[in-house]
Structures are given as C-alpha cells and as structure tokens.
Amino acid sequence: MKSIDRNKLNNFAKELLSKRQTHFCNSSLKTEAIEYLNGLIDFLFPHFSNKVYFNQEDIISKLQLLKRDLIQLIKLLNGMAPPNIEEIADNFISKLPDIHHMLWADAEFIYQGDPAAESVDEVILAYPGFMAILIYRVAHELYLLKVPIIPRILTEHAHQITGIDIHPGATIDSPFFIDHGTGIVIGETTIIGKNVKLYQGVTLGALSVDKSLSQQKRHPTIEDDVVIYSQAVILGGNTVIGKNSIIGGNSWVTQSIPPNSIVYNKSEVRVRRTKEFENTIDFVI
C-alpha cells in the first residue's frame, strides 16, 4: 500500500461510500426478479412445472403467495420502491387472468401461422418468440403500475435467453406472432395492433437517440393485420404502418404507409457478359 498514492485511495473510498449510500440496489434484486418470473411462468403454464393444483382453492392460495412474493420483491428496490406496494401487488394479481388469456391467444396464433408447429404445446414449450412475448406481457403490467427497474430486468432476461429485445413500455395487442425472432428489437413507445406478425431481425426503432426525446413517442405504430418480414427496419414515432400491410424483408421505412400497402425490395438478377463484375462491392469480414 505504501507505493500507492494515499490521497488517491482516500478519494476513491469517499466516492465508493457515496455511491453505495445513494444507490440502494443490491445483488439479490436481479436474481429474485428472475426467480419470481420463473415461478409465475410455472404457475401460468403446466408445461414448466410438475406442481399439481387439485382445486380452485389451491389456485387462490397460490395467487396469495404470488402477491406476497411480489411485495417482497418490490421492497428490494429499497429507496426506489414506490410507497403503494400493497396496491401495486393487488392490481398486478388482478391482471393475471387477462395476461393468461392473451398468452393463450398468442400461442394459438403462432401455432396457426407456422406450418412447422405441430401443436400449441410445442409453441409454449419450445418457441423463443412465445417466451419473449410471455415475459414481455408480465413486465408490461409491472411497467404500467410504475414499478421501476424490475420490468426492464425481466425483458432483458428475455433478451438474453431468446435474442428478442422488447421494451416493457411497448404496447402490444393480442394475438401477436413472432417467428424465429432472433434480432428483433421493439422500442419503448412502439404500438402494435392485433394479428401482427414479425420475423427475425425486425427493428421497430427511433430516428434519434437524443435523451431529450425520452418523453416523446419515438417508435412506430403498427396497425392490425400487418406482416413485417425479416430484417425490415421501421423507424420514427410518427411512422404508422397501415392496417393489412406487408413490409418485405430488408425494407427501410421512415414514413407512414397507408393501409393495404406492400413495401418490398425487389431483387435484380443480371447475367454478366464478361468474367468481371461492374461496380462490385469490395468488402471484408
């Protein structure tokens, strides 16, 4: 320690103490949030748990335990915990029937839309798109109830295990379809209607990442019955993709599209007359 600048160490210790006194989150918050999520998934879908519920009273008792556990989880936010934790927990538990109903509609919609799916059970157990939607719908309700941090922990957990990044603030109706899903990004102020299908690599993003825009609608609106194929990028809070439209793969959309539109990039095939290509792209990987 003699070789280290003592003043530098003192300043570091002072800064560290200050940060630890003003930022209350501890290491258990993320772990406990994911454990609560997994317990909720086990409860909502028998596909993930061996637990047997014999009657309605068993279900009601489990709901009471879920409420108690949510209160304990929110308390881990310490100084950031909202004052009305009991009210938040009551409201969240009261929303579970709606979440459950929407998720079964989502699973059925994915099954009906994917010829490779052999059953709804296969969708629930094995499809990352369904898992991302499931976690989003739980996180979204907590987001609406003004619970800080925890909703984002949940959707980032979904991002890690599925490759699909849905901000908990996005508004997504049901049924909703994600096929494959890897690389999908859905921003905070995105609005998505019913019967919308997204393929892998789709970005519903903002035109600018300026912090001053945090309170504005920055992400697009997708109306009902729209299909957006892989790698399409749709940007901007004023951009509206009209009902029953199709956005082709690799499209770049920054302005509104009227209902019943088709947007696509047409591939061009030219037969070369010599061995040398004209205007070839020189690139490396």
Side-chain angles (χ1 to χ4, degrees):
M1 296 290 282
K2 289 181 180 179
S3 61
I4 301 176
D5 185 331
R6 183 68 188 184
N7 287 332
K8 187 175 182 179
L9 283 182
N10 285 336
N11 289 334
F12 174 59
K14 183 179 179 181
E15 179 183 349
L16 204 60
L17 279 173
S18 174
K19 295 295 185 188
R20 294 179 73 88
Q21 289 166 356
T22 54
H23 294 270
F24 299 101
C25 292
N26 58 44
S27 61
S28 63
L29 177 60
K30 187 172 183 179
T31 302
E32 295 291 335
I34 294 170
E35 285 187 4
Y36 183 79
L37 171 70
N38 289 334
L40 193 56
I41 292 172
D42 291 351
F43 171 68
L44 293 176
F45 293 94
H47 310 70
F48 302 101
S49 172
N50 292 323
K51 171 72 175 175
V52 176
Y53 296 95
F54 294 100
N55 52 53
Q56 293 180 6
E57 288 305 313
D58 285 348
I59 300 292
I60 300 300
S61 297
K62 179 61 179 178
L63 287 170
Q64 292 172 341
L65 291 175
L66 286 169
K67 175 189 169 183
R68 180 203 65 186
D69 292 345
L70 180 58
I71 290 172
Q72 295 304 315
L73 175 62
I74 295 174
K75 285 181 177 177
L76 291 177
L77 291 163
N78 294 319
M80 289 179 290
N84 55 335
I85 297 178
E86 181 90 14
E87 180 185 355
I88 288 172
D90 278 335
N91 286 333
F92 179 76
I93 296 301
S94 72
K95 289 290 185 181
L96 284 182
D98 297 331
I99 294 173
H100 187 243
H101 177 76
M102 285 192 290
L103 287 170
W104 275 98
D106 296 326
E108 180 67 30
F109 189 50
I110 293 172
Y111 168 62
Q112 294 296 338
D114 183 358
E118 296 181 355
S119 68
V120 174
D121 292 322
E122 180 185 352
V123 169
I124 293 170
L125 273 169
Y127 274 49
F130 176 75
M131 181 56 65
I133 295 169
L134 193 170
I135 296 174
Y136 154 77
R137 295 213 182 281
V138 171
H140 181 63
E141 287 304 329
L142 294 172
Y143 177 92
L144 292 177
L145 292 168
K146 309 295 185 187
V147 176
I149 299 181
I150 293 172
R152 197 63 189 268
I153 289 176
L154 301 185
T155 54
E156 284 303 323
H157 173 65
H159 187 190
Q160 290 175 15
I161 64 175
T162 68
I164 298 166
D165 182 3
I166 307 176
H167 193 286
T171 302
I172 304 176
D173 211 332
S174 179
F176 178 47
F177 178 110
I178 291 177
D179 191 28
H180 300 292
T182 301
I184 283 179
V185 179
I186 301 176
E188 180 181 15
T189 59
T190 302
I191 298 174
I192 298 177
K194 296 179 185 295
N195 306 313
V196 170
K197 298 180 179 180
L198 301 187
Y199 289 78
Q200 68 270 22
V202 168
T203 296
L204 304 178
L207 280 168
S208 171
V209 294
D210 193 322
K211 190 68 175 177
S212 64
L213 301 176
S214 63
Q215 300 303 313
Q216 297 184 24
K217 188 177 185 310
R218 310 181 303 282
H219 308 95
T221 295
I222 312 298
E223 294 184 344
D224 296 349
D225 305 304
V226 169
V227 180
I228 304 175
Y229 285 104
S230 62
Q231 311 301 330
V233 176
I234 302 172
L235 305 177
N238 294 324
T239 301
V240 178
I241 305 302
K243 178 180 170 64
N244 200 37
S245 292
I246 297 173
I247 308 298
N250 297 308
S251 299
W252 180 272
V253 181
T254 59
Q255 60 186 9
S256 294
I257 303 298
N260 304 306
S261 298
I262 298 177
V263 178
Y264 64 94
N265 283 316
K266 184 178 180 182
S267 298
E268 181 183 7
V269 177
R270 290 185 299 148
V271 179
R272 61 180 179 172
R273 295 181 179 177
T274 67
K275 291 184 178 179
E276 300 297 326
F277 276 110
E278 299 174 359
N279 300 320
T280 55
I281 299 173
D282 186 16
F283 68 98
V284 294
I285 297 176

